[in-house]
Amino acid sequence: MTIERTIREHLHNEAKNMTCPPAISKRIEQSYSQYLKQKRSEITLKKRLIAGIVATAILIPTAAFAAPTLIDIFTRTPMTAEQVKVDKLGKATLEKLYSAFPETRSFKIIDASYLGYPSDSSNTTIQQSIVLQENGETGKKITLHANGITGEIEDLTQENWEPKQKPLNSLTDQEIKAKVDYLIVKIYGSIKDYEVAIEQMENPDVKTWMLSYAKKGSEVPFYQVFVHGNTISLSRIGGSDPTPSNLKVEGLFSLNGKTDYTADSFLNDEKLFSLLQISPTVLKQELAQGKSVVEIAASKNVSKQQVIDVIARTQSENQYKADHDGVTISEPLMKKMMKAVEPKVLAVIEHKTETAW
């Protein structure tokens, strides 16, 4: 869940005419997804999507959620370097970075902002973005996106960390994997229980690799990384088991003929089945006919908001327990997390099978 992503930095030829806010653009590229607010189960970026936008360096996890919805819901507010350094989330994020890469203490904060709801009187930060760079316009650069609710670094992008004489795109697959392994370990810790799939993307203009790290026994990526040029874009998309252990209904949605595990994770929810008074099997049959969850709910006099609330609560509970060793979440924090994940839930329940996200 996550979402999120927010959303990455450089749009190339195909995206020059796009007016999508930088935050959204960044995150969509780096990998779904987002945003993210906040997190878990971002949709794995498909090759066909990446081929068109990988020219940028940003992931989204990992993710394709409804950009127009995010634009309407969130606003991004600039921050000064001084504000970042005194902000609780900003200070924590910088300390994590400095601990992982001590050399970055000398880097200058060249850009920063936070994502929030324009109508939220509590000023809840959904995500905070910080860009730091070594002295000089061609120096090492790193972009961080931190979850405003959990404090986790959701994704980061390293640029120009390799010497010009031997940039990333000149390395072998194994050398690239070693670079990515090192980055993940420094930021998130051990990956000995993970398996990685690496493949070169079908993009003739930019030599690009996608690395997906999943826990052994799971098909859903936990970390997703894109490498191109001299840039590494890493996203923690928080993959979980495709379906809850007690619910084995898979393929509620399909994309390009394959199971969409994000939808399975969101919709395999006993409380949702109870709300809709429907079985998982019947729901799958209804969705296969081209209906959306919202349309199915409407036919049962259940509002879209009721559906969102049920799914968002379950996702928030699961995420918080996973991140805090089973500790129960407080109701005030629950409401903030639910509000944060709403856009991703909305993307799922309005989706219709076999259509592009």
Side-chain angles (χ1 to χ4, degrees):
M1 331 220 270
T2 202
I3 180 148
E4 261 169 64
R5 143 22 36 119
T6 342
I7 317 162
R8 236 57 351 172
E9 242 183 317
H10 313 242
L11 286 177
H12 256 253
N13 298 332
E14 305 98 305
K16 283 183 178 178
N17 296 321
M18 294 179 69
T19 58
C20 199
I24 306 269
S25 303
K26 284 183 189 176
R27 188 116 167 147
I28 290 178
E29 302 168 32
Q30 217 176 47
S31 122
Y32 167 165
S33 224
Q34 42 119 147
Y35 121 15
L36 342 186
K37 22 286 90 10
Q38 280 13 106
K39 343 220 256 290
R40 258 329 168 299
S41 302
E42 306 240 87
I43 304 170
T44 303
L45 281 177
K46 308 299 178 184
K47 281 188 180 181
R48 63 185 182 79
L49 171 62
I50 304 237
I53 62 174
V54 166
T56 56
I58 327 279
L59 106 93
I60 255 72
T62 74
F65 33 149
T69 301
L70 288 178
I71 294 171
D72 292 340
I73 293 178
F74 302 130
T75 58
R76 182 163 287 280
T77 304
M79 299 178 72
T80 64
E82 291 68 28
Q83 287 175 320
V84 172
K85 293 175 181 178
V86 299
D87 178 77
K88 182 178 179 181
L89 176 60
K91 289 193 296 184
T93 302
L94 289 175
E95 280 308 312
K96 290 175 185 176
L97 174 64
Y98 296 156
S99 177
F101 300 101
E103 65 190 287
T104 58
R105 288 184 180 276
S106 64
F107 285 20
K108 180 182 178 180
I109 297 176
I110 62 172
D111 190 20
S113 60
Y114 70 88
L115 196 68
Y117 294 89
S119 59
D120 186 358
S121 59
S122 64
N123 296 317
T124 300
T125 296
I126 299 303
Q127 183 190 70
Q128 189 175 93
S129 302
I130 307 173
V131 183
L132 303 95
Q133 188 168 31
E134 194 176 34
N135 290 336
E137 293 183 0
T138 60
K140 294 180 180 179
K141 184 178 180 181
I142 188 162
T143 301
L144 305 168
H145 297 285
N147 188 310
I149 296 173
T150 67
E152 294 289 337
I153 294 177
E154 292 186 318
D155 52 76
L156 62 86
T157 297
Q158 277 189 344
E159 299 176 65
N160 303 324
W161 282 61
E162 299 302 316
K164 290 184 178 179
Q165 308 90 295
K166 195 174 183 180
L168 289 167
N169 59 10
S170 68
L171 304 181
T172 65
D173 286 7
Q174 287 308 307
E175 287 174 325
I176 288 175
K177 178 181 178 299
K179 297 286 185 182
V180 175
D181 285 352
Y182 177 76
L183 178 59
I184 295 176
V185 169
K186 295 296 288 185
I187 297 295
Y188 296 114
S190 174
I191 53 173
K192 64 182 181 65
D193 294 327
Y194 290 78
E195 297 176 329
V196 60
I198 179 171
E199 57 186 315
Q200 189 170 337
M201 306 309 297
E202 300 168 357
N203 189 329
D205 299 320
V206 182
K207 191 176 182 181
T208 304
W209 291 263
M210 179 174 73
L211 293 84
S212 298
Y213 290 74
K215 289 185 177 180
K216 293 177 181 178
S218 174
E219 297 180 33
V220 183
F222 196 92
Y223 302 108
Q224 192 166 64
V225 187
F226 295 104
V227 179
H228 66 91
N230 213 2
T231 298
I232 299 177
S233 295
L234 160 66
S235 291
R236 175 179 170 174
I237 59 179
S240 56
D241 290 335
T243 56
S245 58
N246 62 327
L247 292 171
K248 297 301 181 182
V249 178
E250 295 188 3
L252 289 167
F253 278 128
S254 62
L255 195 62
N256 294 334
K258 297 182 179 179
T259 297
D260 182 333
Y261 289 116
T262 296
D264 281 359
S265 176
F266 276 45
L267 301 181
N268 269 304
D269 186 329
E270 290 179 330
K271 294 178 181 177
L272 174 64
F273 299 143
S274 177
L275 175 67
L276 299 180
Q277 296 184 337
I278 196 172
S279 71
T281 301
V282 174
L283 176 61
K284 181 175 180 178
Q285 293 171 348
E286 294 282 307
L287 294 173
Q289 295 175 18
K291 300 177 183 177
S292 68
V293 175
V294 171
E295 291 172 338
I296 295 171
S299 71
K300 298 177 177 294
N301 296 318
V302 174
S303 71
K304 178 191 295 186
Q305 192 60 51
Q306 286 177 291
V307 174
I308 291 174
D309 289 345
V310 164
I311 299 175
R313 179 172 288 273
T314 296
Q315 293 296 313
S316 299
E317 287 176 345
N318 292 344
Q319 177 191 332
Y320 191 84
K321 288 180 180 179
D323 290 342
H324 297 82
D325 298 322
V327 175
T328 301
I329 186 174
S330 66
E331 190 59 26
L333 180 55
M334 166 66 80
K335 291 187 179 301
K336 289 184 178 181
M337 292 185 72
M338 288 174 63
K339 194 172 185 180
V341 79
E342 273 192 20
K344 287 160 63 172
V345 175
L346 189 62
V348 170
I349 64 176
E350 291 186 334
H351 176 65
K352 295 184 180 182
T353 195
E354 291 299 346
T355 58
W357 285 81

